[in-house]
Amino acid sequence: MAVPNIALSKQEKTAATTSKLWEFDLIQLAVLLAVTFFSVYYTPPVVNKFVFLAFLPLAYRSNKDFLWLAWFFIIIDAPGRLFSATAADDLRIPLYSLAGGVSLEFSELFLFTYLLKFFIAKPPLKFVFKPAFKVFGIVILLFLFYSLLLGMGAGSIVDAVKYLLPWGWVVIVPYFVDSPEKVFKATRLLLPIVFLALISQIYVFTTGQYWDYVLRGAEFRFSLAVEEGGRASRASASVYIILFCLIQALFYLASDKKMFKSDNYLAAVVFCSAVSIFLSATRGWTLAFGFLIFCSVFYLSKGGKSKKLLNLGIASAVILYILQWSVPLVQYQFEAALERFSTLLLLADGDVTAGGTLERLDVRGKLVMKRFNISPIIGWGFSDGYFDHADAHVGQQNILLNVGLVGFIYLNILYFYFCIKTWLYARAKAIQQQWGRALTIYVFGFLIIFLIHGSSSQFWGFIMHFDQTDKIMTYSFIFAAINALVLSVYDDEGQAQKAQPNSQPAYAEQ
């Protein structure tokens, strides 16, 4: 009778250790975010600059890169638009002025810190998409050379460098978040932001202002408050973190390994993610999230998880009803968002303006294509001619303007190469023995990002303009997750490693 007790004792010790480490990581992140918040909004600019400079050596010396990268993702895509001010004299994440009017943002210094850490690291880069991104970098250099021939003023050169540098994250994040354990830990730190983002949205619906504007004593250019019978508020929060967290929550729900104590927590993440995006009244994102959830639900039902899905669906419907009934503003916004989403039916009937609510097809797209037609084969590169006419509201057309038909074909082939390669990994027997067919969720994730790219704002290409770093960080974490899962199954020679199917990792919540 002693043997079972010893085994139980070991399980309890493992569970206790895992719980303590998780709590410590969460405390560390909370402290980092608290210091960040206090420094930006309640210290003089000089002190604020020193505080953020102090973050750099701490991150460089840390062995918890998953924590620092999660923190960075949060501060650049924070709920309530916290830390989003851009003017030099605003309460903001600091800007460091150099000689000759040149300045560096903290995000760039943080990138340089991790590039240095990456280049002096001893273990070689193991990245399943490394060959593709080598070619990606070479193509960027070719278009930069071509752009110089077309004419690049000092402003265009600076803009091109600032936009292209963040692509370094697509290698850095997979390098430092290189195991399923680190992906799990980073995801677990990011998931609570989904709930905070929804809370921040409801605050905007009530007051008409984002938290950042209230803290700075400024006002948004117009009120975002919700009124009965009024137009839908366009308030949104942390959409890129929400996107990544939704994909991760669906992955862990689909996985054969039980990583979280309760599926209810993951279901709550899925529910709040969907509600937050729908309440933002952004049609392309809403359509994309609906597609992702539908495909994932269909996939899960085929895996014999119908009962779980039914329970989660019923619970979601009840919670949504209670939320609308108890918070009238949510009900008003829900009705207005639903009305806005219904204008897509007009688009299906041939009205390209969707009842006068959609400029992308009949105005913005035409202006971009007019300029593209002057240089249709190789586009305008990163020249002055490109930056003068670029419009990231029309993703596909803007890629044509940027790199022409040649670059357009290359970038779209590359994107679907990522989809196909991930799909092939998801179908591999060795990976299915460990993770089931859950990697298919990432294929769905790539597809909905492409849907957003074609319907709402540019989400693919060399330069995506607004939210460039946020979008690249989203890709970087997705690539890191896929890479870590694949490397956990195959060794350096590409041979499947022996492991017990469906065995619970030690780092999973016990």
Side-chain angles (χ1 to χ4, degrees), residues 195-493:
F195 306 108
L196 192 58
L198 182 56
I199 293 171
S200 75
Q201 266 184 289
I202 295 175
Y203 176 86
V204 177
F205 296 155
T206 304
T207 66
Q209 295 293 317
Y210 289 103
W211 286 339
D212 175 73
Y213 286 81
V214 174
L215 289 165
R216 290 192 288 115
E219 289 189 8
F220 196 62
R221 59 183 181 272
F222 53 84
S223 175
L224 292 167
V226 172
E227 299 178 357
E228 184 176 7
R231 298 179 64 181
S233 172
R234 302 302 306 282
S236 60
S238 303
V239 293
Y240 304 105
I241 292 177
I242 287 176
L243 172 58
F244 175 71
C245 287
L246 175 61
I247 293 172
Q248 287 302 100
L250 291 169
F251 167 81
Y252 288 122
L253 281 170
S255 173
D256 288 347
K257 299 179 186 293
K258 186 175 176 62
M259 304 298 296
F260 289 82
K261 288 182 180 179
S262 172
D263 288 338
N264 293 334
Y265 178 59
L266 296 174
V269 171
V270 173
F271 172 78
C272 289
S273 298
V275 170
S276 179
I277 293 301
F278 182 78
L279 292 180
S280 72
T282 307
R283 290 167 293 192
W285 280 76
T286 301
L287 189 64
F289 271 47
F291 176 81
L292 174 59
I293 294 172
F294 173 81
C295 290
S296 300
V297 166
F298 178 75
Y299 167 79
L300 286 169
S301 64
K302 290 183 67 176
K305 300 180 180 180
S306 302
K307 184 177 180 181
K308 178 193 295 185
L309 291 173
L310 179 61
N311 292 337
L312 295 179
I314 293 173
S316 298
V318 171
I319 293 172
L320 183 59
Y321 177 79
I322 293 174
L323 186 63
Q324 290 190 73
W325 177 77
S326 59
V327 186
L329 288 176
V330 173
Q331 180 182 355
Y332 303 152
Q333 177 66 6
F334 187 90
E335 293 172 351
L338 186 61
E339 181 180 353
R340 179 174 168 81
F341 185 75
S342 67
T343 58
L344 291 177
L345 297 175
L346 298 175
L347 183 64
D349 288 338
D351 181 0
V352 296
T353 70
T357 64
L358 187 63
E359 290 187 339
R360 287 180 172 85
L361 295 180
D362 67 323
V363 179
R364 293 180 179 273
K366 288 182 179 179
L367 289 174
V368 171
M369 292 304 290
K370 182 178 180 180
R371 185 67 178 180
F372 155 76
N373 289 331
I374 300 176
S375 179
I377 306 301
I378 53 178
W380 292 88
F382 310 110
S383 66
D384 297 342
Y386 167 72
F387 283 107
D388 288 344
H389 297 87
D391 189 344
H393 288 90
V394 282
Q396 297 288 19
Q397 294 94 322
N398 207 49
I399 288 181
L400 285 168
L401 177 68
N402 183 200
V403 290
L405 287 170
V406 172
F408 179 84
I409 293 171
Y410 161 71
L411 285 170
N412 281 280
I413 288 176
L414 176 62
Y415 195 90
F416 285 100
Y417 163 79
F418 295 142
C419 296
I420 294 170
K421 191 175 181 68
T422 304
W423 180 71
L424 291 174
Y425 279 130
R427 289 176 57 86
K429 184 178 179 180
I431 289 180
Q432 289 190 5
Q433 286 177 342
Q434 294 300 309
W435 300 100
R437 295 175 0 196
L439 261 75
T440 309
I441 300 298
Y442 294 109
V443 181
F444 299 151
F446 280 132
L447 292 177
I448 68 138
I449 290 175
F450 200 77
L451 178 57
I452 293 169
H453 166 68
S455 63
S456 294
S457 67
Q458 187 170 349
F459 211 145
W460 179 236
F462 298 124
I463 294 180
M464 296 172 281
H465 295 275
F466 53 82
D467 302 334
Q468 173 88 349
T469 301
D470 309 47
K471 293 171 181 175
I472 293 175
M473 286 299 289
T474 306
Y475 279 121
S476 300
F477 271 98
I478 292 174
F479 283 125
I482 297 169
N483 187 60
L485 294 167
V486 172
L487 294 181
S488 71
V489 174
Y490 296 102
D491 58 23
D492 294 343
E493 285 73 36

